[in-house]
Amino acid sequence: MALLQISEPGLSTLPHQHRLAVGIDLGTTNSLVATVRNGISVVLNDKNGRAMLPSVVRYLADGSVAVGEAAQAMQSEDAANTILSVKRFMGRGLKDVGEISRLPYRFADASPAGSGQGPGQGSGMLQLRTVAGAKSPVEVSAEILKVLRGRAETALGGELVGAVITVPAYFDDAQRQATKDAARLAGLNVLRLLNEPTAAAIAYGLDNAAEGIYAVYDLGGGTFDISILRLSRGVFEVLAANGDSALGGDDFDQRIHCWLLEKNHLSALGPQDTRLLLTHARAAKEQLTEHAETRITAVLSTGEVIDSVLTRSEFQLMSQNLVQRTLQPLRRALRDAKLEVADIKGVVMVGGATRMPQVQHAVEEFFGQTPLTNLDPDKVVALGAAIQANLLAGNRGAEDWLLLDVIPLSLGIETMGGLAEKIIPRNSTIPTARAQEFTTYKDGQAAMSIHVVQGERELVSDCRSLAKFELRGIPAMVAGAARIRVTFQVDADGLLNVSAREMRSGAEAAIAVKPSYGLNDAEITRMLQESTQHAQGDMQSRALREQQAEAEQLLEAVQHALEQDGGLLEQAERKQIETRMEALRNTLQLTDHLAIKRAATVLNDATVSFAQARMDKSVAHVLTGKNIAELETTPDVP
Amino acid sequence: MQLASFDFQHNHFQLFGLAQSYQIDTAQLDQQYRAWQALVHPDKSAHLPDAEQRVAMQRATLVNEAYQTLRSPLRRARYLLSLHGVDTQEETNTVMPPDFLMAQMEWREAVVEARQARDEAALAQLEARLQRETRDLEAQLAVKIDAEKDYAAAAGSVRKLRFMEKLAEEIHAAYDAIDV
């Protein structure tokens, strides 16, 4: 029996042991895991040698889950239960998802995360109805992360100390929190949430000993980021970040999809055909990177045949305004950084969608220089994340470099008249904190509610609602006398924490934070419990299989001994052994591994004197030069 | 520089080993800032127990706050005056010279017009003029604080600078509004 060694992961007593840490690029379309091995960042492949895991999760009726290629293969056939691009739903409510009617899913708004939601503030993160029940985007993402975690632990041969998970730089607090929750659910210790363009800059900068100001243009499957960084003597300093967390390669597929519908005079299609055409649209998009035209042929469920030729120039025309939409954040980032185009030394391209020629041309035209494409735009984010994970895990030999990142969107609070007052401006270096004092407006006021929002717009209704909380237990004072100091702390993951204190009385006011989007602690706890129950279920079924195998061996051994040396037993003794064998056989039909174990022990006890008698007989045999192998049929006494 | 010498009681100037004056060596400030971050940034203690990570976050937060305060002429002046016990009263004291207020109103109107006309060139001109006047005010501040030690007069200049900063924010917002 193997002893279970219980220790905190990573808290090894060995001083120089390499701590296993990985970087995970949790992408809209594909996800990757990388690690630093012998000082070099490498992407870890699956057992078939594939680096990219399609970010596709399929829920089956029997409760099982398929992730990656297996799920992708069924995307048209089982479109409603096969979730693609779940990243676009992270930390989002139904009203945030514009293209609902064009997606093959059945959506559900989550139950309100708490009471006290203001009007028009939505009611929590959306959910997807699948054959296995309603699933939140956090749970779906956790399935992807679990597979990558398993891949890494198999490849590295041990438990992970932690992981750096990348997020789009322009992700807001709700989206970041959702990502962190997904990692928690997948049993990963999150060392840091790292902005994707920053990860790319680390991989590129350390590899090329780059110095100067660089722009990272990151167009992924579902998100767009632009980051401007200053690289100098091992310091990566983000000067400005901007982007669009709802713009990516998927939108280019949608354009081709719409074109196909129009061209073939098709009206609303079912989920299966929608997905089929989207898959063909994506393939056509990829074809047009290398070829001037591509032919799209498909057979719809109605038997209708689609056969259309799409040229690169047609595609560029229909996607022109998508490319243009990336330029506005670019200009804003430059203005925020107080820089001109001429100040940019190099432009690093990240994300599979930057392979499209029209994107490369637009970027080249904007910056007046050829973008850097000497790194794999699909892998560079994971590679950079792995380098940071290695550093954060405290491994020796990790280069001495420093990352100074920023918060991409301003944090503010609601003031009179539904206006947002900025408390922490965008592009502030993190970690950062700002304290704000509030007072009461009524005599004896004991509570006050504060609404935290994120975004650049003036009206609260145009910003993202992050949290509403109540300050309670304010000591009775006349109006305006209380001084409540609320501290907004943004940590190195870009996540917000709020605390409050009444300054005159020194009383810590109670805060009940109700995340407007994202999951509340109760939801997380429920999900964790469910996944633990699954894990317990797994353990129990393993214990059952082990116990069954042991019992069968025991029965076989006793049976064999009876056949060999049954004559050594008294009639009553033999009867007792046989009864107990029968009892053990009966428990094998049950699923209770403890019952099997009990019955096996009882049978074992009954065979003690029999074993002794056989031992004596064997010794006698040895003395007379006879067979010693007989001993081996003696049942093990545990 | 050592982690042991980090003191939460130090003021921002002491933290970076700078003399307590309006005019500072920004190159030294930048260099000291990076040196501190290399020691206190949360990335350096991510593998340590939670308590140590929390302290690291507090230290790094303070270093960022101190750096950003000293890096900005307006915030540096405001902070320096507060060390001298002078409140700049930017929210409460609205008594400004009439000619300054007149000029402010004209600025505002020009920004609104440029925004409505979506005239980027006009915004750029306004921005350049604003930068020149801001630099003039900053030069005056240096004299009032460092040479004359006339903190009451300096507080008046800080209030003016705050107006200029708000204008700069409006110009920035106008750029964003035009750029769609």
Side-chain angles (χ1 to χ4, degrees):
Chain A
M1 280 286 145
L3 288 172
L4 284 174
Q5 236 166 351
I6 298 164
S7 67
E8 285 287 303
L11 293 180
S12 166
T13 47
L14 296 170
H16 303 309
Q17 202 189 32
H18 186 78
R19 294 155 187 262
L20 303 178
V22 295
I24 292 178
D25 175 1
L26 183 60
T28 307
T29 318
N30 292 295
S31 297
L32 296 97
V33 57
T35 195
V36 172
R37 249 186 198 155
N38 306 319
I40 297 162
S41 188
V42 288
V43 170
L44 298 173
N45 293 343
D46 70 2
K47 58 181 188 298
N48 297 314
R50 286 175 297 210
M52 290 202 276
L53 175 73
S55 302
V56 185
V57 177
R58 179 181 175 219
Y59 289 93
L60 288 90
D62 65 0
S64 63
V65 181
V67 180
E69 276 90 1
Q72 200 174 33
M74 298 299 287
Q75 58 173 326
S76 294
E77 233 166 289
D78 190 18
N81 299 307
T82 307
I83 320 297
L84 277 79
S85 301
V86 70
K87 190 173 178 177
R88 300 189 92 147
F89 306 142
M90 292 291 270
R92 288 288 171 263
L94 260 189
K95 71 179 171 74
D96 298 312
V97 183
E99 71 272 39
I100 278 181
S101 60
R102 279 189 277 155
L103 291 166
Y105 311 121
R106 296 179 302 257
F107 288 98
D109 240 335
S111 56
S115 55
Q117 296 287 340
Q121 294 300 335
S123 53
M125 211 186 304
L126 61 80
Q127 293 205 322
L128 297 138
R129 287 190 209 279
T130 73
V131 70
K135 299 289 170 189
S136 101
V138 170
E139 289 168 283
V140 180
S141 299
E143 294 297 341
I144 298 167
L145 289 171
K146 277 181 205 164
V147 171
L148 294 175
R149 177 187 162 202
R151 183 193 288 188
E153 289 184 340
T154 306
L156 303 176
E159 204 175 329
L160 301 178
V161 168
V164 167
I165 315 234
T166 61
V167 290
Y170 214 58
F171 253 21
D172 63 32
D173 192 88
Q175 292 168 304
R176 284 168 197 268
Q177 192 60 59
T179 306
K180 202 169 182 180
D181 290 343
R184 242 169 96 190
L185 212 51
L188 283 166
N189 170 36
V190 180
L191 294 168
R192 186 72 75 237
L193 294 179
L194 177 62
N195 291 330
E196 285 158 13
T198 312
I202 290 169
Y204 177 81
L206 290 177
D207 222 30
N208 296 274
E211 293 270 311
I213 294 170
Y214 284 77
V216 181
Y217 182 101
D218 180 356
L219 187 61
T223 55
F224 171 66
D225 279 335
I226 179 76
S227 287
I228 315 267
L229 296 100
R230 178 162 51 218
L231 278 56
S232 136
R233 286 168 285 132
V235 181
F236 295 78
E237 186 181 6
V238 181
L239 302 176
N242 213 297
D244 186 336
S245 63
L247 173 65
D250 282 4
D251 297 292
F252 290 76
D253 304 348
Q254 281 285 357
R255 286 290 153 92
I256 298 177
H257 178 247
C258 291
W259 175 83
L260 279 173
L261 293 182
E262 215 171 293
K263 183 109 179 153
N264 293 281
H265 310 291
L266 299 167
S267 50
L269 298 177
Q272 190 174 333
D273 287 337
T274 301
R275 187 51 72 62
L276 180 73
L277 287 191
L278 275 173
T279 310
H280 281 283
R282 176 177 295 177
K285 173 187 75 179
E286 286 165 6
Q287 280 286 312
L288 290 174
T289 292
E290 299 288 335
H291 304 95
E293 62 173 50
T294 185
R295 188 169 169 186
I296 304 165
T297 54
V299 182
L300 300 182
S301 57
T302 54
E304 196 166 351
V305 178
I306 303 286
D307 189 356
S308 305
V309 172
L310 177 63
T311 67
R312 187 187 282 171
S313 53
E314 279 175 301
F315 176 45
Q316 295 189 347
L317 200 67
M318 72 179 78
S319 62
Q320 204 174 22
N321 71 332
L322 292 176
V323 177
Q324 288 301 313
R325 262 173 69 191
T326 67
L327 301 183
Q328 184 215 38
L330 237 137
R331 289 189 291 267
R332 289 190 173 183
L334 280 173
R335 276 200 298 275
D336 283 353
K338 297 189 172 67
L339 292 169
E340 305 281 331
V341 163
D343 297 320
I344 305 298
K345 189 173 169 194
V347 186
V348 178
M349 298 291 262
V350 185
T354 59
R355 288 201 175 92
M356 282 184 276
Q358 65 262 48
V359 172
Q360 300 211 348
H361 289 155
V363 173
E364 182 164 350
E365 202 173 78
F366 184 89
F367 285 104
Q369 59 178 302
T370 314
L372 302 159
T373 47
N374 58 330
L375 20 84
D376 187 337
D378 288 321
K379 291 183 181 168
V380 65
V381 168
L383 293 173
I387 295 170
Q388 208 210 15
N390 189 50
L391 180 87
L392 296 188
N395 280 325
R396 289 179 166 223
E399 286 110 317
D400 198 16
W401 52 273
L402 174 68
L403 170 61
L404 300 170
D405 217 326
V406 301
I407 177 171
L409 295 154
S410 303
L411 285 168
I413 49 160
E414 179 171 352
T415 59
M416 298 285 221
L419 294 175
E421 183 188 329
K422 290 192 174 67
I423 288 185
I424 297 179
R426 69 170 185 257
N427 295 320
S428 295
T429 307
I430 50 175
T432 187
R434 203 55 56 89
Q436 188 97 350
E437 279 196 7
F438 298 89
T439 190
T440 47
Y441 57 87
K442 274 194 289 194
D443 288 348
Q445 187 179 338
M448 143 185 309
S449 78
I450 289 173
H451 185 195
V452 187
V453 296
Q454 190 162 30
E456 309 311 318
R457 306 282 292 276
E458 285 167 16
L459 292 175
V460 163
S461 51
D462 293 329
C463 293
R464 177 151 300 273
S465 168
L466 288 186
K468 284 187 173 177
F469 56 88
E470 288 246 308
L471 295 177
R472 290 195 214 95
I474 300 170
M477 291 184 215
V478 293
R483 281 174 51 216
I484 298 130
R485 195 177 171 82
V486 179
T487 305
F488 300 83
Q489 169 84 58
V490 179
D491 65 17
D493 292 325
L495 290 171
L496 172 70
N497 289 284
V498 189
S499 58
R501 173 191 287 267
E502 203 290 303
M503 300 304 283
R504 282 183 207 278
S505 65
E508 294 276 343
I511 300 182
V513 178
K514 292 164 190 155
S516 307
Y517 283 77
L519 306 167
N520 58 32
D521 269 353
E523 282 173 294
I524 286 284
T525 308
R526 173 185 62 77
M527 289 176 188
L528 275 174
Q529 275 168 351
E530 277 175 12
S531 63
T532 321
Q533 276 158 9
H534 284 149
Q536 276 175 352
D538 290 348
M539 266 169 58
Q540 275 178 0
S541 61
R542 198 172 63 209
L544 178 66
R545 282 195 304 276
E546 282 172 6
Q547 212 51 249
Q548 282 169 337
E550 274 180 37
E552 276 160 13
Q553 274 176 16
L554 176 64
L555 285 168
E556 212 174 294
V558 176
Q559 187 61 42
H560 186 71
L562 284 176
E563 283 162 17
Q564 293 269 313
D565 299 313
L568 296 171
L569 290 168
E570 297 286 327
Q571 189 62 26
E573 253 184 317
R574 186 180 178 117
K575 181 92 185 132
Q576 189 190 36
I577 288 173
E578 281 171 349
T579 310
R580 292 184 180 189
M581 283 174 78
E582 192 51 35
L584 179 57
R585 277 196 199 96
N586 288 337
T587 64
L588 286 179
Q589 317 302 319
L590 308 173
T591 54
D592 184 354
H593 69 97
L594 292 173
I596 300 172
K597 194 183 173 77
R598 278 194 299 273
T601 309
V602 168
L603 172 60
N604 232 334
D605 291 347
T607 61
V608 172
S609 63
F610 181 32
Q612 190 60 48
R614 294 187 72 220
M615 184 80 88
D616 294 345
K617 183 186 165 207
S618 296
V619 173
H621 274 270
V622 171
L623 289 173
T624 53
K626 290 269 175 84
N627 187 10
I628 193 169
E630 296 273 327
L631 267 175
E632 284 165 24
T633 61
T634 307
D636 258 0
V637 179
Chain B
M1 195 175 274
Q2 281 178 341
L3 201 52
S5 65
F6 190 96
D7 188 343
F8 280 103
Q9 303 304 313
H10 277 167
N11 73 34
H12 298 349
F13 292 96
Q14 291 166 329
L15 180 68
F16 295 115
L18 295 165
Q20 211 163 294
S21 61
Y22 177 75
Q23 283 173 297
I24 55 166
D25 181 347
T26 52
Q28 191 194 342
L29 173 62
D30 288 354
Q31 187 243 319
Q32 293 286 303
Y33 168 65
R34 284 165 174 232
W36 267 131
Q37 283 292 14
L39 291 172
V40 305
H41 193 277
D43 282 2
K44 305 293 173 185
S45 50
H47 61 291
L48 298 176
D50 283 355
E52 286 175 65
Q53 291 190 41
R54 275 196 295 277
V55 174
M57 185 172 74
Q58 282 170 11
R59 285 185 178 132
T61 298
L62 179 63
V63 168
N64 277 332
E65 167 72 14
Y67 176 67
Q68 277 145 25
T69 302
L70 297 193
R71 204 67 176 79
S72 144
L74 170 60
R75 291 178 65 183
R76 182 169 70 241
R78 187 187 292 145
Y79 179 71
L80 192 52
L81 291 176
S82 79
L83 292 181
H84 287 290
V86 177
D87 180 358
T88 53
Q89 300 178 316
E90 287 155 69
E91 307 296 329
T92 50
N93 188 340
T94 49
V95 183
M96 298 295 260
D99 58 333
F100 181 83
L101 286 178
M102 256 333 250
Q104 282 294 312
M105 274 171 60
E106 281 164 20
W107 275 105
R108 286 264 147 78
E109 278 166 21
V111 175
V112 170
E113 267 171 40
R115 180 173 174 158
Q116 277 166 354
R118 316 183 77 78
D119 188 345
E120 264 196 59
L123 280 178
Q125 268 185 357
L126 283 169
E127 196 177 23
R129 243 182 75 203
L130 182 69
Q131 276 170 3
R132 277 197 303 277
E133 299 207 6
T134 302
R135 272 198 293 273
D136 287 348
L137 269 174
E138 286 167 9
Q140 289 173 30
L141 257 182
V143 175
K144 283 173 187 158
I145 296 179
D146 291 347
E148 299 171 359
K149 305 202 187 307
D150 185 349
Y151 303 130
S157 296
V158 166
R159 285 194 290 277
K160 283 184 181 172
L161 259 185
R162 175 64 189 135
F163 270 91
M164 305 308 255
E165 190 186 66
K166 278 184 181 159
L167 265 177
E169 284 165 7
E170 273 170 39
I171 291 175
H172 198 106
Y175 272 121
D176 283 356
I178 288 175
D179 184 4
V180 283

